[in-house]
Amino acid sequence: MASISLIFLLFFSSILSSSNALSVNYYDQTCPKAESIIANVVYKGMINDITVSPALLRMHFHDCFIRGCDASVLLNSSVKNNEAEKDGPPNISLHAFYVIDNAKKELEKLCPGVVSCADILALAARDVVALSGGPTWEVPKGRKDGRNSKANETRQLPFPTFNISQLQQSFSQRGLSLDDIVALSGGHTLGFSHCSSFQNRIHNFNNVSDVDPSMDRSFAVGLRQVCPMHNTVKNAGANLDSTPTVFDNNYFKLLIQGKSIFSSDQALLTNSRTNALVQKFAASQTEFFDAFVKSMVQMSSISGGGTEIRLNCRVVN
């Protein structure tokens, strides 16, 4: 137990030191146009592909939750016996890596060896939210890129089937609170989910009910039509809320109505604190936006222990 406690103490110490090292003015002298370059590349990506927004937001989340925010999720597998995070089961559906690549290429032309891939990803996540109608914020910068990425570590990611206790344990290990869980879950206002991530709620839910009884009946019927028990459509699934390309508070409104997709979404209503926050964010988009910004800054400040500025985001130097 003592060794485990020491590990967590060192982990949280690294989070604190990383937060202190980051600065919103980090590139003011070395690459003052960095943020505008990244925003322009992200905008072009979104114009060409509406799935870029949820893809980059999810990518940043998955990056920070494994080894901290060190761009380890961007690394390619190097050899067959050393699969990288992007090839782990929860990350197989991650995409839009090319947007980060394009931003990196532009930055290397102007400021070679200066802007980390981890910072590019953090800024891109902010930009897709803002460009989708959500809030904007100052992103603390100065992250370094990591040199390690292991597919088997993606098992540490919170699953869409998690209950509130499992969510709390997962988030608290990363210095994130119940409030952060609810605010960051609001990111589900963007995007789409494949059937496999919510199949547990609409087929063989338990010995009593085939469908999760907390789910709106007509909503469940629609999901079962799109995702039958023996689904043969490769990319079948459903939007995460009714406005999947707009960053708003509809996710929380639908959650209250029993029209959420994941078990982890529904779980937010099973705890008094998280339930109260769901109600607050459903009633006020401003309250949600303010909380989301705070939680995103907190999450994106988790130390990754990176040591370099990659010249190519897909490979170590």
Side-chain angles (χ1 to χ4, degrees):
M1 289 297 292
S3 62
I4 293 176
S5 297
L6 177 60
I7 290 172
F8 278 113
L9 178 61
L10 292 173
F11 180 76
F12 287 121
S13 294
S14 68
I15 292 176
L16 183 60
S17 62
S18 171
S19 297
N20 292 337
L22 301 180
S23 167
V24 297
N25 303 314
Y26 192 82
Y27 296 113
D28 282 4
Q29 301 302 318
T30 55
C31 195
K33 295 184 179 179
E35 294 199 37
S36 61
I37 289 172
I38 295 168
N40 187 50
V41 171
V42 168
Y43 175 73
K44 290 179 180 178
M46 289 174 61
I47 291 297
N48 293 325
D49 181 359
I50 61 173
T51 70
V52 161
S53 298
L56 293 183
L57 183 58
R58 182 169 174 245
M59 192 185 298
H60 181 46
F61 182 92
H62 282 214
D63 180 45
C64 293
F65 257 64
I66 302 300
R67 289 178 166 266
C69 310
D70 67 345
S72 54
V73 74
L74 304 178
L75 288 170
N76 287 342
S77 297
S78 55
V79 293
K80 187 175 181 180
N81 294 327
N82 184 28
E83 286 190 319
E85 289 172 31
K86 65 169 57 172
D87 292 321
N91 285 343
I92 292 298
S93 60
L94 289 181
H95 64 286
F97 292 100
Y98 72 91
V99 177
I100 305 301
D101 292 336
N102 290 344
K104 182 62 174 175
K105 289 175 184 176
E106 292 300 314
L107 289 166
E108 285 302 306
K109 292 177 187 176
L110 187 65
C111 317
V114 172
V115 184
S116 69
C117 298
D119 276 347
I120 294 172
L121 184 51
L123 287 162
R126 184 272 310 274
D127 292 339
V128 295
V129 169
L131 291 168
S132 299
T136 189
W137 62 94
E138 291 282 0
V139 176
K141 298 166 285 291
R143 299 164 189 78
K144 295 296 188 293
D145 299 324
R147 295 180 56 83
N148 297 297
S149 183
K150 299 180 180 180
N152 61 9
E153 293 183 351
T154 59
R155 291 176 295 184
Q156 301 171 25
L157 288 166
F159 282 39
T161 55
F162 271 11
N163 61 35
I164 194 64
S165 296
Q166 292 169 313
L167 286 172
Q168 186 171 13
Q169 181 180 29
S170 177
F171 278 67
S172 65
Q173 288 174 358
R174 292 155 177 87
L176 300 171
S177 66
L178 282 171
D179 291 32
D180 295 317
I181 293 173
V182 181
L184 293 172
S185 292
H188 290 166
T189 185
L190 293 177
F192 170 92
S193 172
H194 291 102
C195 297
S196 57
S197 294
F198 56 89
Q199 198 85 351
N200 66 302
R201 296 190 72 197
I202 59 174
H203 298 291
N204 297 326
F205 179 71
N206 58 29
N207 293 331
V208 177
S209 176
D210 197 32
V211 175
D212 184 345
S214 65
M215 184 176 282
D216 177 84
R217 184 174 179 81
S218 61
F219 183 66
V221 169
L223 291 180
R224 283 166 62 90
Q225 290 174 345
V226 174
C227 303
M229 174 69 81
H230 302 292
N231 177 50
T232 58
V233 180
K234 183 178 180 181
N235 292 315
N239 291 326
L240 296 182
D241 87 357
S242 57
T243 53
T245 63
V246 179
F247 196 94
D248 55 25
N249 67 336
N250 274 355
Y251 161 81
F252 295 104
K253 295 177 181 179
L254 294 171
L255 175 53
I256 293 170
Q257 297 171 25
K259 297 178 181 178
S260 61
I261 295 291
F262 303 135
S263 295
S264 59
D265 295 325
Q266 182 62 30
L268 301 182
L269 298 179
T270 64
N271 172 280
S272 59
R273 174 62 185 173
T274 56
N275 189 311
L277 288 170
V278 169
Q279 304 294 332
K280 178 194 285 189
F281 297 158
S284 172
Q285 184 162 277
T286 299
E287 292 277 4
F288 165 47
F289 282 6
D290 289 346
F292 184 80
V293 167
K294 180 180 178 181
S295 294
M296 280 295 288
V297 171
Q298 178 75 5
M299 185 199 74
S300 68
S301 297
I302 299 174
S303 172
T307 58
E308 66 182 22
I309 306 296
R310 281 185 225 140
L311 301 181
N312 179 337
C313 291
R314 293 176 182 258
V315 296
V316 298
N317 293 341

